[in-house]
Amino acid sequence: MKLSIALLLTAGSATAFAPSSLVHSSYSRHLNLATKSVFCKHSALCMSAAEANVAESAAIADKDTDTNATSEFPPILQELREVAMRLHTREQAPREGKAEEPQKPAEPYVPTQADYLQFLVDSYVVYVALEEIVNEVDALAPFRNSGLERTQALETDIAYMCEKFDLQRPDAGKAGSMYAAQLKNMIKSDEDVPEFMCHYYNFYFAHLAGGRMIGKQMSKLLLDGEALEFYKWGENVNGMKDTVKGQIEELAKGWNRQERDSCIDATAAAFMGGGSINGYLYGRNPH
């Protein structure tokens, strides 16, 4: 069974990494090409995950518009969705997609258990950074112990993979280390919270949408159907998602237009940060 995996909100060039200083509302064709070749067209898995993300993004606007009807600005998640949809291809989002279609590889890449383990390790260091920032910054206190945290689940899964397949735990690769460092360097004061929240939202909710579908396919391909803890949130996952979305909207109510733009303009960098890690699953990141 051959797959070419490109995770939800992934960069077309998996090793590409865009520091936030390069991402602005006027980002150019270079970033448009690099950020949103989200899924390879020849993979049924990838397309179904893309569709899941489009549906997830559409639900954001539908659920939150009424609650912010009297606000000076539209819901922040609606604004984020609009930018995200433009970073999809036309095939993924026929009405709103603006990104060019990715070039098909000559031969689809088939990931290995070692690839998947490296993906989990790099994901772990990013989730550690996200959780540390949330726990250290007072303005982010509402997002502590949300139920979406993934570090303990990933520790369990990494240990399982190493034991099951006789693999040594690798060090975090360049993709995860660089993105974690970017996040830690990003937030120096409360003024940096809007930019950070774009990364927080995209990283967690990408995994909750198409990431779950890719996890199922990896389970079939590499794990004999075993489900990893990384993809388990309990029975009330939709309730947790709604709570966190509401907390994001509540936080954003205090932002002015410049702060909201700081959040929105970080979308391409957030996609590239997550996409660089997902390159392990489709042969773009050496390890």
Side-chain angles (χ1 to χ4, degrees):
M1 178 181 182
K2 289 190 174 182
L3 287 194
S4 177
I5 299 299
L7 187 62
L8 168 72
L9 306 180
T10 243
S13 173
T15 56
F17 186 85
S20 58
S21 61
L22 295 179
V23 182
H24 190 266
S25 58
S26 61
Y27 48 78
S28 66
R29 180 176 178 275
H30 165 72
L31 283 180
N32 227 6
L33 287 170
T35 56
K36 209 45 175 150
S37 299
V38 186
F39 297 97
C40 299
K41 295 195 294 183
H42 57 277
S43 170
L45 160 67
C46 293
M47 289 312 301
S48 61
E51 291 160 3
N53 182 46
V54 172
E56 169 80 13
S57 298
I60 293 168
D62 293 341
K63 280 193 172 186
D64 295 323
T65 300
D66 291 343
T67 60
N68 286 58
T70 60
S71 174
E72 178 183 359
F73 305 111
I76 189 64
L77 297 184
Q78 179 179 326
E79 294 194 68
L80 286 170
R81 174 195 177 277
E82 291 169 356
V83 175
M85 289 300 96
R86 290 197 295 271
L87 295 176
H88 283 73
T89 66
R90 284 286 186 185
E91 186 171 356
Q92 296 153 5
R95 290 186 299 174
E96 300 166 278
K98 300 292 186 183
E100 294 186 17
E101 297 289 346
Q103 186 176 9
K104 292 182 181 180
E107 183 72 15
Y109 183 76
V110 180
T112 66
Q113 283 98 0
D115 293 330
Y116 197 28
L117 177 60
Q118 188 68 63
F119 162 77
L120 296 173
V121 169
D122 278 43
S123 296
Y124 173 79
V125 299
V126 175
Y127 280 109
V128 167
L130 289 166
E131 291 180 23
E132 287 179 349
I133 292 166
V134 167
N135 288 331
E136 292 170 0
V137 177
D138 289 342
L140 299 174
F143 302 96
R144 296 170 189 167
N145 302 313
S146 67
L148 301 184
E149 293 82 8
R150 296 290 86 197
T151 52
Q152 292 184 3
L154 280 165
E155 281 281 18
T156 299
D157 292 337
I158 291 166
Y160 164 79
M161 290 283 292
C162 290
E163 181 177 355
K164 175 78 172 179
F165 301 107
D166 194 25
L167 298 168
Q168 286 193 336
R169 177 171 180 158
D171 294 333
K174 182 177 180 180
S177 298
M178 287 183 67
Y179 191 35
Q182 182 196 15
L183 292 169
K184 291 177 181 178
N185 291 330
M186 178 184 301
I187 189 158
K188 303 297 185 183
S189 69
D190 286 350
E191 294 180 358
D192 303 314
V193 166
E195 179 184 2
F196 171 79
M197 284 308 302
C198 180
H199 291 263
Y200 173 94
Y201 171 73
N202 278 293
F203 203 78
Y204 277 103
F205 280 80
H207 182 56
L208 280 159
R212 286 193 286 181
M213 303 183 77
I214 290 174
K216 289 179 181 178
Q217 192 61 59
M218 290 292 93
S219 172
K220 294 176 184 177
L221 181 67
L222 300 173
L223 307 180
D224 298 323
E226 186 74 22
L228 295 184
E229 297 300 312
F230 188 31
Y231 304 97
K232 299 176 184 178
W233 290 266
E235 296 181 358
N236 193 32
V237 62
N238 289 330
M240 288 188 291
K241 287 164 60 177
D242 288 344
T243 297
V244 173
K245 288 177 185 178
Q247 291 168 334
I248 294 172
E249 291 293 352
E250 189 64 29
L251 179 65
K253 284 181 181 178
W255 296 348
N256 59 32
R257 184 68 262 171
Q258 182 178 354
E259 290 168 325
R260 293 172 75 89
D261 287 344
S262 176
C263 178
I264 295 161
D265 291 348
T267 301
F271 285 3
M272 294 183 80
S276 65
I277 296 169
N278 301 323
Y280 295 115
L281 299 180
Y282 57 104
R284 295 294 184 89
N285 288 353
H287 60 95

